[in-house]
Amino acid sequence: MNNLDDFSLQEDQQSLGSGFVIAPQNESVSIITDEFEASVSSGSTQDTPLAQIIGRFNFFGKVTRVRKSSSKSKMSFDPSTLGSGGDIFKDNPDQDLGSKVNFMFDMPTDPSHPRRSRTPGGVIDLGVGRQAKDFTKDDPMDMTYGRRIALALVSKRWYNPKVVKVKPMNSSESKDGSVEEKNNSPSLEQGWGYFEHVTLPRYIVESIRSKSMVGRCCSRVDLLNAKLEKAEPGESHLQSQLYDPFFTALDQLGDFGLGFGLYFSTLRAIALVTFIAGLVSIPNMLYFSGKEYSNGQEGVFWALKGSAICTDLEYVPCEGCTSDMFSEDETYRFLTFENSNGDQLPFAVKNNCDGATLSTGVYSIATMFVVAIGMVLTSIYLKAIEVVFDEDEQTAQDYSIVVNNPPADATDATEWKQYFRKKFGVVATVCTIVTDNDDLLKNLVLRREVLQQIKSKIGPSEPLDIDNLARLASEIVGKRNCVHTMFAKVFKGVPELVAYMQVLDLKINDLAAQHRNVTTVFITFETEAAQRKVLSIMKTSEQYDARYCFREDFLDVEEPAEPSSIRWQDLNESGSKVIVRFIIPTFLTLGMIVAAAFLVREVRDYGPSYAAVTISLLNIFFPVIAKKLTNLEIHRNQGARQTSLYVKICFFRWVNTAVVTTIITPFTSTIMNGKEFLLTGVYAIFFSEIVTINLMQLIDFGGNFRRHVLAPRARTQEDLDEYMSGSVVELAERYTNMTKILFLALWYCPIYPAALFLCSFSLVVGSYVDRISLMRSWAPSPKLSSEISRINRTFFIPAAVGIMAVISSYTWTQFTFDNLCPLESTSSNYFGTWDIPSVIDGETMKTVQIDSSYQSFKFCNQNFLEYGSALTFPSLPSFQSSDSKWMTGGQERVTEAYGWSCIAILAVITIHFFLCYYRYLTRTYKPVGKDKGIPFADSNTAAYIPQVNSPEVPFPLVACPVDLIQDSLFEWTSPYHDYDYYDLTLDADAIMMGDDGGRSVSNTAFSRVVHWADSSLK
């Protein structure tokens, strides 16, 4: 290979689509992702003609690195010598490269080229002849059951009215044709391929899975210890498989983002804590279900045995009692009987179950401390697992910082690069300069959505230029009658949409021509060490050292959220607008909590089971409303939005599930047996949460309706794919499901110890149902950080434990839940023989002889929480009135211990909250995990590219020019279109071309992303 003729330029359309291969004679070389590999004869690089070859075929891009295969050492080069025949290596011109050199190219922006993550120090060779995978040709054994059913019915006209010939998703014609031509024939098979390869998460596999049953079972078991690499959505060149919901290891769930990894870890930890606490409560369950407490709880539903339900009831003399002392809902608790003198004497129901014994109290207190200690250990565990997840997943956040207060005119990326090199000695690889263009972006996105709606109505074959749309609109208006005209005022037709689009065009004309200020700058460094160095300086008092001024300004720098969680359309709103938009949804949420409480109270009149169903339905539907309310707010990133949503749903579900149930239930019904009483209603809530809600989630009626009914009837491929986009998931809602069940169990565990086991079982079942949904039906979610996990373990779980301590201490004072206190003597008016009916059935009569030795009672309020203005905290026995005492000696000792234990736990929680607040005020930067030493160029992570999601478009709309952005900096790949198709700046350019004033798009109208591919060499 001593001359240029020894190399040939080959175009291989069959193996690489529109890609090219440079190959020496008699040797093969393949393009690898954005890399080029060539075999070179041993000899000095001065004699190597590759410089001429690279220069001659420079349409590939530029060489970014040269790596010697044997040592994997990197060598810099002088790009100016490319094509000149000179030495391209600056470091050591006489160095012998050995037998092989890997040349890495930045390939043109084209999703049809293979995209492959690089391992540190190595190159992954896909091999010559590797073709883009056709998603319609998947092995049926690797398909979801929904897809198998759809393929079995795809030829049936009743199921699929538009049966079309299958066209490969990645065919060359789908890249070369116009949008209308590509979407001319919607393919259901293609849509299901989109569902499983773009919507659902997949991981890279080295070989095709065995087709034998034994082989498949073994491969699934191997997943428990496997290290998986998550495939990018739309990955079409590498073999991949769907994640397995049951066998994917917990430590791999961080692939879905740190937030989801911590969520599943929290589920497991709390399920374990509540299970252990349930084991500690077993002695109380045995006591409550035994003969000593309530005669074996005969007639109690099996799931409620072991609770404090009392079946040993009788009517006793209640001197001075009147009917208005008891709840209107419990008329059975108060009866009058006539004595021999014809006087009507009052009797009331007495619970003869002694639940507040010393031993049961000790076990209950022990359970409380087990839960408290378990939650502390859970918090420690989650902090540790957060580090593990963070180290396992390399993301752009690990390399980046965000400048929140850049100078308004700091639009030069090179200036930012030089600033960090000069001030900190670090190298920036990517710079994203964000301008104040929220209003422009929202109008451009809205225009795209309107255009997509028009396309859905007129079909894919019609051109979408404004002249043709105006013609179609005019024709449609001419054919309308009065009914159609009235209908169009409610449901917009093509003419209304076209008119609206023209209005948007006028707005965009004005907005795109305006000068914009820089509001935020994202800087991504080549190494983690560089990011940590900058943050360790700028998050301390040195931030205000004049040495680190940018121009003459002190910079506000912090670690950013993940790229996919940035809400670019809300990044620049004013503080006052943010506050106003936050206050209104907050008050609306409080109003809905009150309204829900009144609704549950009204429904409970028909029975606890109806109330339980109502509570469950409210818990299902309120998150939908909460999402709408949260969407009214302004948040800079999805983490902040999810936190706000979490707080709303959490408070609603806590109050709706536990607090409301307690408030609306008459005090004396607390430990009664029957469908209309408290604990039966509590069990009904648990049953509904474990069975009803999980079944509804697994059935996924909405998602299956979209995929199996609406998708086959879509008019365009994009509409069909949108129906295949999966159900939207909110991590905040998943967390509130968990805390709701936990809160319910902690609230009622003193009188229903089995609630701890039900909580544990519910969390385990829920974790697997969520796994199934995450890997089989939910839409891709932004990769969230640990915001919700931190607020959950820092505030909400400690609050739940504190509330448990308070409620438990008060519960132990309230036994026997009958509002009766013993009298020292019995009135002679009661002396004699009485035929008293059974409390249980009201018919069985019992003959009772009452004399001076018979114990009579009077009404007294046993509920310390209803003492009005009197202070009854902590719940100590001393708060009993001197003439109205109901506690036994053992109960008083337990209550005393419970009250002061409650104070101790609340004191610890209060100190914890103050320390958290103090750490927040004095917070400094502290890196999470170890620096793995992987350069950004080798990390296969996405950059901070401004993007906006739209429900009308399957992929994000890019809010900056894409022509200079490498494919590898995106975290998604469309199987149909180049990134140009999603570029909103091109929309603005096209609109401004018709501007009557001759204006053009301002240079600052859009954010910019600048990537220095050779940063690692400098």
Side-chain angles (χ1 to χ4, degrees):
M1 295 188 296
N2 294 322
N3 57 69
L4 193 60
D5 295 333
D6 290 336
F7 286 81
S8 62
L9 176 64
Q10 302 173 351
E11 182 173 5
D12 189 350
Q13 293 285 358
Q14 180 179 2
S15 63
L16 292 169
S18 59
F20 291 87
V21 176
I22 298 179
Q25 299 291 337
N26 302 321
E27 296 185 49
S28 63
V29 181
S30 62
I31 295 174
I32 308 162
T33 315
D34 56 351
E35 303 177 1
F36 168 75
E37 179 178 312
S39 297
V40 185
S41 297
S42 176
S44 170
T45 60
Q46 290 179 320
D47 301 326
T48 303
L50 285 177
Q52 300 174 36
I53 297 170
I54 296 168
R56 176 177 175 182
F57 304 119
N58 59 10
F59 50 81
F60 280 110
K62 62 180 179 179
V63 179
T64 57
R65 288 180 300 284
V66 180
R67 182 179 300 145
K68 187 176 179 180
S69 297
S70 58
S71 63
K72 297 183 175 62
S73 59
K74 295 181 180 178
M75 302 174 61
S76 59
F77 66 95
D78 183 1
S80 64
T81 62
L82 293 180
S84 65
D87 180 21
I88 66 172
F89 303 109
K90 296 188 297 184
D91 293 342
N92 195 346
D94 296 324
Q95 181 175 354
D96 185 355
L97 293 181
S99 60
K100 190 175 184 181
V101 178
N102 294 327
F103 288 83
M104 271 67 76
F105 285 77
D106 291 332
M107 298 304 295
T109 303
D110 184 352
S112 67
H113 288 300
R115 304 182 66 210
R116 174 61 166 160
S117 59
R118 293 187 289 273
T119 57
V123 175
I124 301 174
D125 189 352
L126 300 182
V128 177
R130 182 70 63 89
Q131 296 187 20
K133 180 177 174 57
D134 181 359
F135 297 159
T136 63
K137 304 301 182 183
D138 290 340
D139 184 347
M141 293 298 294
D142 292 328
M143 296 179 183
T144 60
Y145 288 109
R147 186 179 182 184
R148 298 183 200 180
I149 293 172
L151 292 181
L153 301 175
V154 72
S155 60
K156 309 295 183 182
R157 300 287 300 184
W158 61 267
Y159 178 81
N160 181 23
K162 300 178 181 178
V163 180
V164 297
K165 183 179 179 180
V166 179
K167 181 172 63 178
M169 294 184 69
N170 294 279
S171 63
S172 58
E173 64 178 278
S174 70
K175 288 291 180 182
D176 298 335
S178 66
V179 175
E180 290 76 25
E181 291 172 343
K182 285 185 287 187
N183 292 326
N184 195 34
S185 301
S187 166
L188 190 58
E189 294 93 332
Q190 204 166 298
W192 277 98
Y194 173 93
F195 175 68
E196 293 193 0
H197 287 265
V198 177
T199 298
L200 299 186
R202 304 176 73 90
Y203 64 93
I204 302 297
V205 294
E206 298 299 329
S207 59
I208 299 176
R209 189 164 61 175
S210 172
K211 293 187 177 182
S212 69
M213 182 63 68
V214 175
R216 287 179 177 271
C217 291
C218 292
S219 64
R220 295 179 72 185
V221 174
D222 290 341
L223 290 176
L224 294 172
N225 299 311
K227 191 72 172 177
L228 307 180
E229 177 187 353
K230 191 171 183 289
E232 290 185 356
E235 172 62 63
S236 60
H237 290 81
L238 301 174
Q239 186 71 27
S240 64
Q241 288 181 353
L242 293 169
Y243 279 85
D244 191 294
F246 299 100
F247 290 91
T248 300
L250 178 66
D251 58 5
Q252 290 300 303
L253 296 179
D255 292 348
F256 303 89
L258 183 59
F260 272 103
L262 289 173
Y263 165 67
F264 284 104
S265 300
T266 305
L267 281 176
R268 182 172 70 172
I270 293 182
L272 179 61
V273 169
T274 51
F275 181 78
I276 295 174
L279 294 177
V280 176
S281 297
I282 285 179
N284 282 1
M285 296 172 62
L286 295 176
Y287 172 75
F288 286 144
S289 61
K291 293 289 185 181
E292 184 179 355
Y293 175 72
S294 183
N295 299 321
Q297 293 186 324
E298 184 180 351
V300 176
F301 181 60
W302 68 269
L304 291 171
K305 286 193 174 183
S307 69
I309 287 179
C310 180
T311 57
D312 186 3
L313 311 171
E314 65 173 337
Y315 285 105
V316 296
C318 186
E319 298 183 19
C321 293
T322 60
S323 60
D324 58 1
M325 294 179 177
F326 299 90
S327 171
E328 296 178 356
D329 298 329
E330 297 182 299
T331 55
Y332 70 91
R333 295 200 73 89
F334 176 81
L335 294 176
T336 58
F337 299 99
E338 184 176 333
N339 64 5
S340 58
N341 296 326
D343 298 326
Q344 294 290 328
L345 299 182
F347 284 73
V349 174
K350 171 63 180 172
N351 299 337
N352 292 323
C353 304
D354 183 12
T357 64
L358 182 61
S359 60
T360 55
V362 169
Y363 284 117
S364 183
I365 293 174
T367 300
M368 179 179 66
F369 278 104
V370 166
V371 170
I373 295 171
M375 294 307 171
V376 172
L377 296 177
T378 295
S379 180
I380 295 173
Y381 162 73
L382 291 176
K383 290 179 182 178
I385 202 69
E386 180 180 342
V387 174
V388 173
F389 283 133
D390 185 75
E391 291 181 345
D392 184 60
E393 296 296 322
Q394 289 295 112
T395 66
Q397 184 183 36
D398 298 322
Y399 299 89
S400 304
I401 64 169
V402 57
V403 181
N404 295 315
N405 62 337
D409 60 345
T411 59
D412 186 0
T414 302
E415 182 182 11
W416 286 101
K417 180 180 178 72
Q418 292 173 349
Y419 164 76
F420 285 103
R421 178 187 293 277
K422 180 179 179 181
K423 300 291 187 179
F424 302 93
V426 296
V427 177
T429 298
V430 183
C431 177
T432 303
I433 299 176
V434 183
T435 58
D436 183 11
N437 63 353
D438 294 4
D439 51 356
L440 175 60
L441 292 185
K442 290 174 182 177
N443 280 280
L444 283 168
V445 172
L446 188 55
R447 184 182 185 275
R448 276 288 187 112
E449 292 174 348
V450 170
L451 196 62
Q452 185 61 35
Q453 293 172 24
I454 293 174
K455 185 195 298 185
S456 298
K457 291 179 180 294
I458 66 176
S461 59
E462 286 286 350
L464 295 176
D465 61 274
I466 191 63
D467 293 335
N468 185 60
L469 293 180
R471 179 186 61 80
L472 287 175
S474 177
E475 292 176 358
I476 293 173
V477 170
K479 296 177 181 178
R480 281 179 176 174
N481 54 34
C482 59
V483 176
H484 293 153
T485 302
M486 293 295 296
F487 189 79
K489 292 183 180 297
V490 180
F491 302 98
K492 292 181 179 180
V494 172
E496 289 73 26
L497 292 173
V498 171
Y500 186 35
M501 190 176 74
Q502 291 174 331
V503 172
L504 291 174
D505 286 351
L506 293 175
K507 289 183 179 180
I508 293 169
N509 259 326
D510 293 332
L511 295 173
Q514 296 176 12
H515 174 78
R516 305 283 175 163
N517 292 328
V518 177
T519 58
T520 311
V521 175
F522 293 86
I523 302 292
T524 301
F525 301 103
E526 182 60 21
T527 63
E528 287 186 78
Q531 181 234 34
R532 297 183 177 198
K533 179 179 180 180
V534 173
L535 289 175
S536 64
I537 294 174
M538 299 300 285
K539 295 303 291 182
T540 64
S541 58
E542 293 187 68
Q543 173 185 0
Y544 302 104
D545 191 324
R547 293 177 300 169
Y548 300 110
C549 283
F550 181 85
R551 299 177 183 173
E552 297 180 354
D553 299 327
F554 296 109
L555 297 181
D556 176 19
V557 175
E558 62 183 357
E559 187 176 67
E562 295 288 355
S564 61
S565 72
I566 301 294
R567 292 171 59 86
W568 301 93
Q569 71 275 27
D570 291 335
L571 209 55
N572 308 303
E573 296 287 0
S574 63
S576 58
K577 188 174 182 181
V578 171
I579 293 173
V580 172
R581 295 275 289 270
F582 174 77
I583 291 175
I584 295 175
T586 300
F587 278 102
L588 289 174
T589 300
L590 294 176
M592 290 181 183
I593 291 175
V594 175
F598 278 107
L599 177 62
V600 173
R601 179 175 183 176
E602 292 299 319
V603 173
R604 201 183 188 286
D605 292 340
Y606 298 95
S609 58
Y610 294 102
V613 172
T614 302
I615 288 172
S616 295
L617 292 176
L618 287 172
N619 286 338
I620 292 172
F621 291 113
F622 176 76
V624 177
I625 301 174
K627 293 171 193 174
K628 300 292 185 183
L629 294 176
T630 306
N631 287 339
L632 298 176
E633 301 171 355
I634 298 172
H635 299 285
R636 290 171 59 89
N637 58 68
Q638 288 290 349
R641 177 184 174 277
Q642 289 290 323
T643 300
S644 176
L645 181 61
Y646 169 74
V647 172
K648 291 183 183 69
I649 301 177
C650 191
F651 273 122
F652 181 90
R653 285 179 164 175
W654 280 21
V655 173
N656 184 55
T657 303
V659 180
V660 170
T661 303
T662 300
I663 292 175
I664 67 175
T665 301
F667 173 77
T668 49
S669 295
T670 302
I671 58 173
M672 293 292 290
N673 181 40
K675 294 182 179 181
E676 68 274 22
F677 297 113
L678 176 66
L679 291 184
T680 304
V682 172
Y683 168 74
I685 294 174
F686 273 112
F687 180 85
S688 178
E689 294 293 335
I690 294 173
V691 178
T692 308
I693 291 180
N694 285 325
L695 277 178
M696 291 178 65
Q697 182 175 325
L698 287 174
I699 292 173
D700 187 24
F701 176 81
N704 280 305
F705 181 79
R706 286 163 59 87
R707 290 189 289 274
H708 291 281
V709 178
L710 299 181
R713 289 153 181 82
R715 298 192 65 178
T716 68
Q717 191 66 47
E718 283 189 341
D719 287 344
L720 193 152
D721 290 346
E722 183 59 32
Y723 292 134
M724 293 289 183
S725 59
S727 305
V728 176
V729 58
E730 301 285 359
L731 184 60
E733 186 178 356
R734 311 322 305 165
Y735 265 100
T736 57
N737 277 346
M738 171 186 64
T739 56
K740 168 191 63 181
I741 294 296
L742 174 65
F743 189 74
L744 185 67
L746 298 185
W747 185 281
Y748 290 110
C749 67
I751 56 175
Y752 190 15
L756 294 167
F757 286 118
L758 290 174
C759 174
S760 179
F761 181 69
S762 176
L763 295 180
V764 171
V765 173
S767 69
Y768 280 100
V769 172
D770 282 351
R771 277 172 169 250
I772 294 171
S773 298
L774 180 65
M775 300 175 188
R776 292 296 182 269
S777 63
W778 285 343
S781 176
K783 287 190 175 181
L784 301 175
S785 296
S786 58
E787 295 98 333
I788 299 181
S789 176
R790 289 180 181 178
I791 194 173
N792 183 63
R793 68 177 185 252
T794 302
F795 296 105
F796 280 85
I797 288 182
V801 173
I803 292 172
M804 173 198 181
V806 173
I807 295 301
S808 296
S809 64
Y810 277 102
T811 298
W812 232 248
T813 67
Q814 295 166 349
F815 274 98
T816 54
F817 297 97
D818 53 19
N819 281 342
L820 297 180
C821 290
L823 292 172
E824 294 182 359
S825 61
T826 302
S827 172
S828 59
N829 291 331
Y830 285 93
F831 291 174
T833 302
W834 298 81
D835 291 328
I836 300 177
S838 168
V839 178
I840 303 299
D841 57 25
E843 297 179 357
T844 304
M845 304 302 292
K846 177 182 178 181
T847 301
V848 177
Q849 182 67 39
I850 298 179
D851 53 26
S852 59
S853 62
Y854 197 91
Q855 181 67 65
S856 63
F857 297 83
K858 69 173 183 176
F859 178 87
C860 62
N861 189 354
Q862 296 176 342
N863 189 357
F864 279 174
L865 295 175
E866 294 180 354
Y867 269 37
S869 59
L871 178 64
T872 58
F873 181 81
S875 55
L876 302 175
S878 58
F879 290 118
Q880 297 178 100
S881 175
S882 58
D883 61 344
S884 297
K885 292 188 176 182
W886 66 89
M887 296 187 193
T888 64
Q891 185 177 1
E892 288 188 345
R893 290 194 294 273
V894 169
T895 302
E896 188 89 21
Y898 236 130
W900 293 115
S901 297
C902 172
I903 290 294
I905 289 178
L906 291 179
V908 172
I909 293 174
T910 303
I911 293 172
H912 163 73
F913 286 159
F914 273 110
L915 288 176
C916 290
Y917 181 66
Y918 174 77
R919 284 195 293 266
Y920 174 78
L921 294 178
T922 61
R923 65 190 184 279
T924 57
Y925 171 71
K926 184 179 180 181
V928 177
K930 298 179 181 179
D931 180 356
K932 299 181 70 174
I934 302 176
F936 176 78
D938 292 334
S939 63
N940 193 38
T941 60
Y944 286 86
I945 301 174
Q947 304 172 72
V948 182
N949 291 309
S950 167
E952 299 288 342
V953 184
F955 291 93
L957 297 171
V958 185
C960 66
V962 302
D963 51 349
L964 298 179
I965 303 176
Q966 292 184 15
D967 292 4
S968 58
L969 297 183
F970 288 91
E971 58 184 345
W972 53 271
T973 302
S974 170
Y976 303 121
H977 307 296
D978 293 340
Y979 292 105
D980 288 346
Y981 178 83
Y982 304 96
D983 188 344
L984 292 175
T985 68
L986 299 180
D987 292 16
D989 287 338
I991 294 170
M992 291 294 288
M993 288 176 64
D995 183 66
D996 296 334
R999 296 175 298 178
S1000 60
V1001 177
S1002 169
N1003 291 333
T1004 59
F1006 291 97
S1007 304
R1008 290 197 308 129
V1009 178
V1010 178
H1011 177 216
W1012 297 281
D1014 57 346
S1015 293
S1016 61
L1017 305 175
K1018 296 184 180 180

